[in-house]
Amino acid sequence: MASTERSGKGMPMPEKAVYSVIGMTCSACSGQVERVLRQLPGIHDAVVDALTNRALVTFYPALITEETIRETIEDVGYQATLIQDHQTNAKSSQMCRIRINGICTSCSSAVESALQALRGVLMAQVASADEEAQVHYDPKMVSYKELLEAIEDTGSVAILITTGYNYMSQFQLKVDGVSTDHSMRLIENSLRSLPGVQDIDIDPKLNKFSVSYKPDVTGPRNFIQVIESTGSGRFKAMIFPETGREVHETEIKRYYRSFLLSLVFTIPVFLTSMVFMYVPGIKSGLDRKVVNMLNVGEILRWALSTPVQFVIGRRFYSGSYRALRHGSANMDVLIALGTNAAYFYSVYSVLRAAASKDFMSTDFFETSSMLISFILLGKYLEISAKGKTSTAIAKLMDLAPETAILLTLDSEGNVTRDEEIDSRLIQKNDVIKVLPGAKVASDGFVIWGQSHVNESMITGEARPVAKRKGDTVIGGTVNEDGVLHVEATQVGSESALSQIIQLVESAQMAKAPVQKFADRISKYFVPLVITLSFSTWLVWFLAGKFHRYPKSWIPSSMDSFELALQFGISVMVIACPCALGLATPTAVMVGTGVGASQGVLIKGGQALESAHKVNCIVFDKTGTLTIGKPVVVNTRLLKNMVLQEFYELVAATEVNSEHPLAKAIVESAKKFREDEENPTWPEAKNFVSITGHGVKAIVRDKEIIVGNKSLMLDQNITIPSEAEDMLAETESMAQTGILISIDGELAGVVAISDPLKPGASEVISILKSMKVKSIIVTGDNWGTANSIAKEVGIENVIAEAKPEQKAEKVKDLQASGNIVAMVGDGINDSPALVAADVGMAIGAGTDIAIEAADIVLMRSNLEDVITAIDLSRKTFSRIRLNYIWALGYNLLGIPIAAGVLFPSTGLRLPPWIAGAAMAASSVSVVCCSLLLKNYRRPKELDGLDMQGVEVVK
């Protein structure tokens, strides 16, 4: 064929390899190795960790070998050893998701470090914004229980969400009626006897059975049937309830209840210390002496603040203890120190008043109780707001129907029975009945019926798509009219909807590089604040002790020590590392969620950060700028033969290729066999796909070569002037000319046209206005490439490029100082997609292209390229705003709390106001990120009619 945008079958999926890398001392070293590896052609991803001295490399074995990767690492200056090849890794690698309740930003780094230090952990990511960790590990070396223990050793509460092998599915069941260990073993043995069951994990406390199995062999209905038939029918099995949303809602309610309970005690404390002292009748009652100078008001405040300090505020003590026990300090430490200072000084003051006949005590009980109340309110508001950042995932989950109609067929395919089941119980090869107006319950293909299906929620295609026997359907889409019978092919975690949800979840877990800035600050923030707080108290105390400021500065109800103490406490509680830590992840979560709702799947913070810097976009042609559904528009024979025989030979060769141009030729050949729905072509022997050039095979003892001009010249086939003229003519009309040789002699020329996508020229124009230059890099001929470029308004063109040449062109552009995005759809685009700073795959493209890309454009519309760049720019504008606010708040708030303005203005922040400000800062950052939910794509796109092109089959 005349393009590198094609390939035969058999291109492998990316593989993984793990290397031991000796000599790295810091994150700068690991970053250097990562950058070098990612620049290699054929590298899909590279994650290097200096703590564990490991490198996890995902690569395409057809393009690069493990030995080349190892040599590259050693060229950087480190000793590298392959410790786990991709075959072992693919079988043993396991991923689990763990919920970490109440984790703060400074804790997340400690948890990551603890997990990475475990032998057998390949990669660990902790996202404080959604309180979750994703851990990739080798179950032969470490168990998920050890992962939970490692997290809890850092002082956090860990709850397992899911765990499963990469090549298996997992299903969780709750079994009622289990009362003894014998019953547990009985059920376990019954399940293990089922073919396809690989592993079973049991949680006796919850009567929970987690079954890992091969979905091609068995499924969840079989598990339930086996359990309920075991033990004389006394066991009842059901799907284990989802815990994600419930845990989050429970935590919100817990903070809300704690806040309300604290108010019950705090409001009376506030009234007795701040309000009732100005009410004459009540004031005299509160000032009544009980023992020496100890009065009723002080006893009441002590009694009311104690439950707030030690019962309601217990969480801060336990959090501080766990953090300090592992050599780190978090927000809980600041809160505990600040409230304890106020509370215990008040206790000292009260006890001294009780023991003295002339000491007038001043207590700060209202400071400690109001501080805790305001912090609980802030936590409640923060967690509520954080929950709203992940609404995109909740909306995606809601697309799946709750129930499905399962059909039972006899040997002749007739329906003998139907029943309504939970859609989560669908197994592979089940036949599902989809009624008009109902959602399709599973990915599959139609085996009976005709209808139109609305796929806009998945693909963005606005018009319903016609479906008939043999057509594929996607779970979560809506059947518009007729009844369909669908055979399930992808169920559970393999379904398209589940994979989109997993992609969005992974994207929201992945940290943007800019997050490292906050991580570095958070390591030193709390110790620095404690030092500043103590220094503030000491400076004010010494200044008062040695009369360095007028006595008139001291409020009548305090002495110099108490004034200094208030300044010190205010500094401690106003500082907020949480706002810094939330600045990036909350914006990334909302940004990726908004992108998913717009049909743009962004694979994490790295892609989002790189996309906002893009100033150069490299476009593939076929299927990217063009519709990707080429058709044969002209055929000219150069040899005396029947046209049907000519197409028989060509179709027999091209049917082995998945390239769009090959499919166009096969479809054209089918016209000569209109009486056959799926014609059988002659056998093609010795089929060879020559990437970027074409294919060749032996059909009916004749050597057939189909491809471009360069392939014919390489095969020493003469191209007559008549064929040259036709090639020139087709290229001038933006068509592709395909040459066909039979037994070493040129037999014909086929002209194929692939029209431009609607609005392509407008998209290029808008990109120019955004100061983003566009380039075409294609494997097609120069004539066709130039015609297409002229039509859309692109000036720079590279044609007849092989896959590796596309990647080289991307690297040349990067070397010139450009931040390059590559937009493609084919297998041959994957090296360039990986090499680019941002790879964008068209959603209708191949799985390998989508796997290699950083951003997936689900709707296959070019306008989404603009949406992706604009959304990334808006998101990072929001992140900058968050950082400016978070840094500005601390840089301004800490000096004010320390009393810098007090000498000149008399402005002093009481600790409870400082605590309220601290709580408000975190909430404000989250709310600022939530404003991204109002994102609207650029107005210039509203006028474009680019909702896809319907291809009539």
Side-chain angles (χ1 to χ4, degrees):
M1 304 298 293
S3 172
T4 60
E5 302 161 28
R6 63 167 301 151
S7 176
K9 296 180 180 178
M11 179 71 178
M13 294 298 289
E15 310 266 10
K16 294 181 180 178
V18 180
Y19 295 84
S20 170
V21 185
I22 306 300
M24 297 186 297
T25 58
C26 62
S27 58
C29 303
S30 59
Q32 181 188 18
V33 177
E34 277 188 3
R35 285 192 299 273
V36 172
L37 288 175
R38 286 173 177 168
Q39 290 173 359
L40 292 174
I43 297 295
H44 173 240
D45 194 18
V47 179
V48 183
D49 182 47
L51 291 174
T52 57
N53 293 320
R54 295 283 182 89
L56 173 61
V57 185
T58 309
F59 65 103
Y60 296 98
L63 302 174
I64 194 170
T65 65
E66 294 103 329
E67 182 60 19
T68 303
I69 297 170
R70 189 192 67 78
E71 290 175 353
T72 302
I73 297 173
E74 294 200 337
D75 288 341
V76 180
Y78 304 101
Q79 182 182 342
T81 308
L82 179 66
I83 58 173
Q84 188 176 356
D85 63 23
H86 53 277
Q87 294 172 338
T88 305
N89 188 49
K91 295 178 180 177
S92 65
S93 176
Q94 189 171 349
M95 187 273 285
C96 71
R97 293 169 55 214
I98 302 170
R99 184 169 301 284
I100 308 175
N101 289 339
I103 189 170
C104 65
T105 308
S106 55
C107 305
S108 63
S109 297
V111 172
E112 270 191 8
S113 298
L115 289 170
Q116 292 280 18
L118 290 176
R119 185 171 176 267
V121 172
L122 304 176
M123 184 172 66
Q125 293 177 318
V126 180
S128 59
D130 53 1
E131 300 182 346
E132 190 174 307
Q134 276 190 6
V135 188
H136 296 261
Y137 65 101
D138 184 346
K140 295 179 181 178
M141 301 172 68
V142 63
S143 69
Y144 77 85
K145 293 180 180 178
E146 291 175 279
L147 302 178
L148 296 178
E149 290 172 2
I151 293 172
E152 292 186 343
D153 283 344
T154 65
S156 302
V157 179
I159 302 171
L160 182 69
I161 301 175
T162 59
T163 179
Y165 295 102
N166 290 343
Y167 68 107
M168 290 190 292
S169 294
Q170 189 183 67
F171 200 81
Q172 296 175 335
L173 293 165
K174 182 179 181 181
V175 183
D176 291 336
V178 179
S179 55
T180 64
D181 291 340
H182 175 70
S183 300
M184 287 280 184
R185 287 194 299 271
L186 185 64
I187 294 172
E188 181 182 3
N189 291 335
S190 298
L191 288 172
R192 287 190 184 278
S193 66
L194 281 175
V197 172
Q198 300 294 302
D199 192 23
I200 299 173
D201 187 70
I202 303 172
D203 187 339
K205 294 180 181 178
L206 301 175
N207 288 344
K208 176 181 174 183
F209 288 76
S210 299
V211 185
S212 298
Y213 65 98
K214 293 181 178 179
D216 290 330
V217 181
T218 188
R221 288 202 313 280
N222 296 345
F223 307 151
I224 292 175
Q225 183 181 359
V226 166
I227 292 172
E228 294 185 347
S229 62
T230 302
S232 304
R234 69 176 185 269
F235 302 129
K236 179 69 176 176
M238 65 193 75
I239 301 170
F240 195 85
E242 296 288 338
T243 58
R245 298 186 196 179
E246 287 79 357
V247 168
H248 185 75
E249 290 171 2
T250 300
E251 190 173 14
I252 291 175
K253 291 177 182 176
R254 183 162 56 88
Y255 272 108
Y256 183 64
R257 285 195 300 267
S258 297
F259 169 65
L260 291 181
L261 184 60
S262 70
L263 285 184
V264 172
F265 297 96
T266 300
I267 290 175
V269 171
F270 172 77
L271 292 174
T272 57
S273 62
M274 301 285 189
V275 179
F276 292 159
M277 59 185 294
Y278 299 107
V279 181
I282 300 176
K283 182 180 186 301
S284 60
L286 293 174
D287 288 344
R288 185 177 300 164
K289 301 295 185 291
V290 179
V291 178
N292 290 329
M293 298 300 291
L294 177 64
N295 60 41
V296 173
E298 291 166 344
I299 294 174
L300 281 175
R301 288 192 290 274
W302 188 5
L304 290 169
S305 64
T306 299
V308 179
Q309 183 71 31
F310 298 108
V311 179
I312 300 172
R314 184 177 65 245
R315 72 185 70 228
F316 303 118
Y317 285 100
S318 57
S320 300
Y321 169 73
R322 289 194 297 261
L324 293 172
R325 187 161 60 96
H326 291 89
S328 62
N330 58 12
M331 201 66 213
D332 291 337
V333 174
L334 294 180
I335 296 168
L337 283 173
T339 56
N340 276 333
Y343 178 84
F344 284 108
Y345 175 78
S346 301
V347 171
Y348 159 76
S349 181
V350 167
L351 292 177
R352 185 176 174 186
S356 173
K357 293 183 179 181
D358 56 5
F359 177 75
M360 290 290 294
S361 72
T362 301
D363 65 81
F364 298 127
F365 286 122
E366 81 284 350
T367 295
S368 65
S369 56
M370 289 176 71
L371 254 178
I372 289 173
S373 296
F374 274 116
I375 289 165
L376 289 174
L377 173 62
K379 275 290 183 184
Y380 163 70
L381 294 174
E382 180 186 323
I383 292 172
S384 299
K386 280 161 65 177
K388 294 177 183 178
T389 62
S390 57
T391 52
I393 293 177
K395 288 179 181 177
L396 286 170
M397 289 179 172
D398 291 339
L399 289 178
E402 294 183 359
T403 60
I405 301 174
L406 176 67
L407 299 180
T408 303
L409 308 180
D410 60 19
S411 58
E412 297 179 357
N414 299 315
V415 178
T416 59
R417 180 170 173 246
D418 63 57
E419 62 175 319
E420 190 173 69
I421 63 170
D422 191 304
S423 62
R424 291 170 292 180
L425 298 178
I426 296 174
Q427 299 178 183
K428 275 193 176 181
N429 303 319
D430 281 346
V431 177
I432 306 299
K433 183 179 182 180
V434 187
L435 299 173
K439 291 181 179 179
V440 179
S442 171
D443 292 2
F445 62 90
V446 178
I447 62 170
W448 181 87
Q450 293 187 15
S451 183
H452 288 79
V453 176
N454 182 358
E455 298 180 342
S456 60
M457 64 290 299
I458 302 293
T459 66
E461 170 59 65
R463 289 173 294 218
V465 180
K467 300 292 181 182
R468 61 182 182 181
K469 184 177 179 180
D471 290 338
T472 58
V473 292
I474 306 171
T477 56
V478 179
N479 184 23
E480 295 279 320
D481 36 47
V483 178
L484 294 175
H485 292 179
V486 176
E487 182 173 327
T489 56
Q490 306 292 330
V491 297
S493 60
E494 296 180 345
S495 70
L497 184 59
S498 293
Q499 289 178 2
I500 291 172
I501 292 172
Q502 289 170 20
L503 191 152
V504 174
E505 286 178 335
S506 297
Q508 294 183 342
M509 285 288 300
K511 290 182 180 179
V514 72
Q515 175 68 19
K516 294 177 182 178
F517 170 70
D519 290 343
R520 284 195 296 269
I521 292 178
S522 65
K523 289 180 181 179
Y524 309 105
F525 191 91
V526 174
L528 178 62
V529 168
I530 293 172
T531 303
L532 287 174
S533 175
F534 179 76
S535 300
T536 299
W537 169 81
L538 185 62
V539 168
W540 277 101
F541 174 69
L542 292 176
K545 185 80 171 174
F546 295 104
H547 309 292
R548 296 298 182 184
Y549 58 81
K551 285 189 177 181
S552 60
W553 287 9
I554 305 174
S556 58
S557 59
M558 298 184 191
D559 59 23
S560 61
F561 176 84
E562 292 163 348
L563 178 65
L565 183 63
Q566 277 218 348
F567 281 128
I569 294 172
S570 294
V571 169
M572 191 171 295
V573 298
I574 200 172
C576 184
C578 295
L580 273 173
L582 292 170
T584 297
T586 54
V588 169
M589 286 185 73
V590 178
T592 52
V594 168
S597 68
Q598 302 255 356
V600 178
L601 298 183
I602 302 170
K603 298 182 181 179
Q606 172 77 56
L608 202 61
E609 181 167 347
S610 299
H612 93 282
K613 303 174 185 175
V614 166
N615 58 10
C616 177
I617 297 184
V618 175
F619 287 97
D620 174 42
K621 182 182 74 68
T622 305
T624 302
L625 289 173
T626 63
I627 292 171
K629 296 287 183 181
V631 292
V632 174
V633 293
N634 193 11
T635 304
R636 182 173 299 177
L637 295 180
L638 304 176
K639 189 177 182 180
N640 189 17
M641 63 186 302
V642 179
L643 188 61
Q644 180 174 353
E645 181 189 358
F646 171 81
Y647 268 108
E648 287 268 333
L649 297 173
V650 177
T653 305
E654 290 284 49
V655 76
N656 295 286
S657 174
E658 292 183 347
H659 192 273
L661 299 183
K663 291 180 180 179
I665 292 176
V666 174
E667 287 299 318
S668 182
K670 286 181 180 180
K671 294 176 183 177
F672 295 96
R673 292 190 177 186
E674 292 182 351
D675 55 324
E676 297 181 47
E677 185 173 345
N678 292 304
T680 302
W681 305 105
E683 181 184 2
K685 300 177 181 178
N686 303 329
F687 174 82
V688 177
S689 173
I690 305 157
T691 305
H693 292 283
V695 295
K696 63 179 182 178
I698 303 297
V699 181
R700 291 176 179 170
D701 296 326
K702 296 179 179 180
E703 184 188 46
I704 311 297
I705 301 176
V706 185
N708 58 18
K709 182 178 177 180
S710 61
L711 177 61
M712 298 301 161
L713 295 175
D714 289 344
Q715 300 294 321
N716 296 320
I717 295 171
T718 303
I719 301 175
S721 58
E722 186 180 359
E724 293 274 15
D725 293 340
M726 186 175 179
L727 285 177
E729 182 183 344
T730 58
E731 290 173 5
S732 67
M733 294 186 292
Q735 298 172 358
T736 301
I738 305 299
L739 301 176
I740 293 92
S741 161
I742 300 176
D743 284 337
E745 181 183 352
L746 202 66
V749 182
V750 175
I752 298 177
S753 175
D754 187 8
L756 278 175
K757 285 183 176 177
S761 58
E762 287 87 346
V763 167
I764 301 303
S765 176
I766 294 171
L767 286 172
K768 285 181 181 177
S769 68
M770 297 171 67
K771 297 182 180 178
V772 178
K773 63 181 177 182
S774 302
I775 298 173
I776 291 180
V777 178
T778 177
D780 214 334
N781 60 74
W782 279 98
T784 303
N786 283 322
S787 298
I788 291 289
K790 185 176 180 181
E791 196 170 345
V792 297
I794 294 177
E795 298 176 359
N796 298 320
V797 180
I798 302 295
E800 298 181 7
K802 297 178 181 180
E804 60 273 16
Q805 291 172 332
K806 289 185 179 183
E808 287 171 6
K809 179 59 181 176
V810 167
K811 291 176 182 177
D812 289 342
L813 290 167
Q814 290 170 328
S816 302
N818 294 297
I819 305 299
V820 182
M822 170 71 192
V823 186
D825 72 322
I827 290 174
N828 56 325
D829 296 323
S830 56
L833 288 169
V834 173
D837 296 288
V838 181
M840 297 187 188
I842 297 296
T846 64
D847 291 340
I848 292 177
I850 291 172
E851 178 70 21
D854 302 300
I855 297 175
V856 181
L857 310 178
M858 289 296 295
R859 301 187 297 187
S860 302
N861 292 337
L862 281 178
E863 65 177 42
D864 288 339
V865 173
I866 296 172
T867 301
I869 294 174
D870 185 66
L871 175 60
S872 67
R873 290 180 178 181
K874 293 285 197 310
T875 301
F876 265 79
S877 174
R878 189 68 57 181
I879 289 173
R880 290 191 197 98
L881 190 61
N882 285 346
Y883 273 128
I884 290 171
W885 164 249
L887 283 171
Y889 162 81
N890 283 292
L891 292 175
L892 290 175
I894 291 176
I896 292 173
V900 169
L901 300 179
F902 184 65
S904 58
T905 64
L907 178 63
R908 177 173 59 87
L909 285 182
W912 63 272
I913 293 181
M918 183 271 289
S921 67
S922 293
V923 177
S924 63
V925 165
V926 177
C927 291
C928 184
S929 295
L930 282 173
L931 291 176
L932 271 173
K933 294 176 75 174
N934 300 321
Y935 170 80
R936 295 291 180 270
R937 66 181 191 166
K939 292 180 180 179
E940 295 89 341
L941 297 178
D942 294 339
L944 297 184
D945 181 20
M946 296 183 60
Q947 296 302 319
V949 177
E950 185 174 358
V951 179
V952 181
K953 297 182 179 180

